[in-house]
Amino acid sequence: MIALQDVNAKTSDVREEICMKLVEKLNEHPDISSAELVAYYAYAMQMKFFSYLIAVTPSKDSIFKQENAQYSEWTENLNIILADKEAPLVESFAKAKYYLDQLFFNITERGVLEYTYHKKALITSRQLQEHLGVSRSTISRYVNSGMEMVSGVGHHCYPLHNVFYWSDGVWASRIQVLYQSYRLRNRTKTDLIDEIKAEIKQFEEKYGGTFEDVFKDVTDPYELDEPDDYFDWRDALEELKKFYE
């Protein structure tokens, strides 16, 4: 099993100094754009966590809000974490990433932050199972709920800070809420169509036929055992139809 302390190396003095100077400037409530604020924090993260993080960049579809960045609880917490020289690296990074992702969500209309990690910051599914003491199916469930997984890197595809998040019920809940917020905001038209089709398919499997066949003789939906199904199914079909008009 890979120990968390294996990646808990101290940052170099030069990188630490650069990070601290950036935090000092950001603590002065600078009147800068949201995009500039993210750029500063991304660089500070790369300096402080250089042995863990290679880069952090906004996705290509990111859209920043027009107003200048405002000081918030997320910037305050992020500054505290970045200035802390004593906290273990993985725990420190996990907290900083969460606050930066929250900040990014609040100052953008669309997009996500994309993180690139060093190889030693990534572990396999089996290693993650051992750290958390859970099964493979539980890991899959966590991924569907928001656990970070890196694509295109082979079997070592789980960032080690997942151990910090998912070992703690409070942090796991925070990650799930943030994940759902991003997922709902960034849905494309195709995503919405697929979701509606899936909902319609569930109704068809439940009742063994199409809406028209199942309810063709219904004159008063409120007399049905489950009238909500009737209205939800009907609304889903009408919503899907609008996408093709």
Side-chain angles (χ1 to χ4, degrees), residues 1-9 51-53 88-95 97 115-132 139 147-150 153 155-168:
M1 181 188 297
I2 296 177
L4 295 183
Q5 57 265 31
D6 289 346
V7 294
N8 282 347
S51 64
Y52 191 91
L53 176 70
L89 185 144
V90 174
E91 176 184 336
S92 182
F93 176 81
K95 292 179 178 179
K97 180 183 185 300
Y115 295 80
T116 305
Y117 303 103
H118 287 289
K119 289 183 178 179
K120 65 181 178 181
L122 301 172
I123 58 177
T124 66
S125 175
R126 180 178 294 277
Q127 290 168 327
L128 185 57
Q129 291 172 52
E130 292 174 352
H131 277 304
L132 296 177
I139 295 296
M147 174 179 277
E148 187 177 2
M149 182 178 178
V150 181
V153 294
H155 295 300
H156 289 74
C157 58
Y158 293 94
L160 194 50
H161 53 269
N162 278 322
V163 177
F164 173 81
Y165 289 146
W166 298 87
S167 294
D168 185 297

Side-chain angles (χ1 to χ4, degrees), residues 12-164:
S12 72
D13 292 339
V14 174
R15 290 186 173 91
E16 187 73 54
E17 183 179 356
I18 292 174
C19 179
M20 289 303 299
K21 287 187 178 297
L22 284 169
V23 171
E24 288 174 7
K25 290 293 184 183
L26 292 166
N27 263 325
E28 295 173 358
H29 309 261
D31 185 22
I32 58 178
S33 70
S34 296
E36 288 177 300
L37 185 69
V38 170
Y40 280 128
Y41 274 125
Y43 190 57
M45 293 276 287
Q46 289 167 213
M47 289 296 98
K48 184 172 182 65
F49 306 111
F50 76 97
S51 64
Y52 191 91
L53 176 70
I54 295 175
V56 50
T57 55
S59 58
K60 293 181 179 180
D61 63 343
S62 296
I63 300 175
F64 287 87
K65 295 178 180 178
Q66 295 302 312
E67 65 268 19
N68 281 2
Q70 299 293 317
Y71 199 74
S72 67
E73 63 176 300
W74 310 121
T75 55
E76 181 179 3
N77 288 328
L78 187 51
N79 290 344
I80 292 171
I81 295 299
L82 291 173
D84 186 353
K85 298 181 181 180
E86 302 302 324
L89 185 144
V90 174
E91 176 184 336
S92 182
F93 176 81
K95 292 179 178 179
K97 180 183 185 300
Y98 171 76
Y99 294 131
L100 182 57
D101 285 339
Q102 281 281 14
L103 171 64
F104 187 80
F105 182 84
N106 289 343
I107 63 178
T108 55
E109 297 177 0
R110 186 170 185 79
V112 296
L113 286 174
E114 298 175 342
Y115 295 80
T116 305
Y117 303 103
H118 287 289
K119 289 183 178 179
K120 65 181 178 181
L122 301 172
I123 58 177
T124 66
S125 175
R126 180 178 294 277
Q127 290 168 327
L128 185 57
Q129 291 172 52
E130 292 174 352
H131 277 304
L132 296 177
V134 299
S135 65
R136 182 183 298 274
S137 61
T138 299
I139 295 296
S140 297
R141 180 164 55 82
Y142 287 169
V143 170
N144 291 332
S145 299
M147 174 179 277
E148 187 177 2
M149 182 178 178
V150 181
S151 60
V153 294
H155 295 300
H156 289 74
C157 58
Y158 293 94
L160 194 50
H161 53 269
N162 278 322
V163 177
F164 173 81

